[in-house]
Amino acid sequence: MSDTSPAHPEPVVLDIWCELQCTDCRSALDDVRALRARYGDRMEIRLRHFPLEKHKHSFAAAQAAEEAVEQGRGWPYIEAVLERAEELDRRGEAVLVDTARELGLDAEEFDVALIDGRHILIVDADQAEGKAIGVTGTPTYVIGGERLDGGRSQDGLRERIEEIADRLLAGPGA
């Protein structure tokens, strides 16, 4: 039995399977921001990598996102790269390094990380787990063991996520 008091229940975990060259994932940012505003530390929102083969820079972008996490600016970097999805498509990995520099991160370290592949295992593990649970496109949300496919349509998804989160936060028997 855990020692947590009812005032501080464990946060609900929302995994978002995403790739940083996906404009649907960029559209999902508004929902992510709204969920963050509504739940604060009662919801842990985790970006999970699911680079798609049709986007040739998405695997590098996922590695760059992990470098940003390591440098303490994961979400700001992820959001900035998603805002530049079309530019990433056109200009490639230079956009990843430029974005890091603009956010005040160590851009040279990003460059080295993309060359030495230090984050490949994390990206590969996320992608393998996603495939194992049936993720086929992005964004896909997983909360409370339920998978919600945002790649087809995002209509009503935030409401569904909130329903599940509220039920989980209310605890057993609620």
Side-chain angles (χ1 to χ4, degrees):
M1 177 124 170
S2 95
D3 200 29
T4 52
S5 68
H8 299 288
E10 288 294 308
V12 169
V13 174
L14 172 65
D15 282 332
I16 305 173
W17 302 87
C18 178
E19 69 117 85
L20 300 185
Q21 216 176 326
C22 168
T23 53
D24 286 335
C25 289
R26 180 176 58 207
S27 304
L29 280 177
D30 288 338
D31 285 342
V32 170
R33 290 180 187 117
L35 290 165
R36 204 179 276 140
R38 176 172 174 169
Y39 292 101
D41 60 7
R42 296 179 307 141
M43 179 179 281
E44 181 185 348
I45 299 174
R46 302 189 305 198
L47 181 94
R48 306 297 300 275
H49 302 290
F50 202 77
L52 302 169
E53 284 180 20
K54 66 181 180 179
H55 294 139
K56 62 182 179 204
H57 305 297
S58 62
F59 194 79
Q63 293 175 70
E66 284 302 315
E67 181 59 31
V69 168
E70 204 161 276
Q71 292 190 30
R73 300 287 311 277
W75 275 106
Y77 183 81
I78 288 160
E79 292 189 20
V81 171
L82 278 168
E83 296 294 348
R84 299 170 82 168
E86 290 87 359
E87 188 183 352
L88 178 59
D89 190 45
R90 279 193 323 276
R91 289 186 50 228
E93 294 179 19
V95 171
L96 302 173
V97 178
D98 289 350
T99 303
R101 188 175 293 110
E102 288 160 19
L103 288 173
L105 298 168
D106 184 341
E108 284 66 39
E109 202 55 37
F110 271 77
D111 219 11
V112 174
L114 290 171
I115 293 165
D116 71 18
R118 66 184 74 160
H119 303 297
I120 285 176
L121 290 177
I122 294 169
V123 177
D124 282 347
D126 272 3
Q127 193 166 35
E129 186 181 334
K131 285 179 179 169
I133 63 167
V135 174
T136 56
T138 57
T140 297
Y141 305 87
V142 176
I143 181 169
E146 210 169 312
R147 190 179 77 233
L148 307 167
D149 184 355
R152 290 200 182 93
S153 167
Q154 301 200 35
D155 291 343
L157 272 185
R158 187 169 84 212
E159 293 77 10
R160 184 73 190 113
I161 290 167
E162 289 173 349
E163 280 172 27
I164 296 168
D166 290 346
R167 186 181 72 230
L168 293 170
L169 288 167

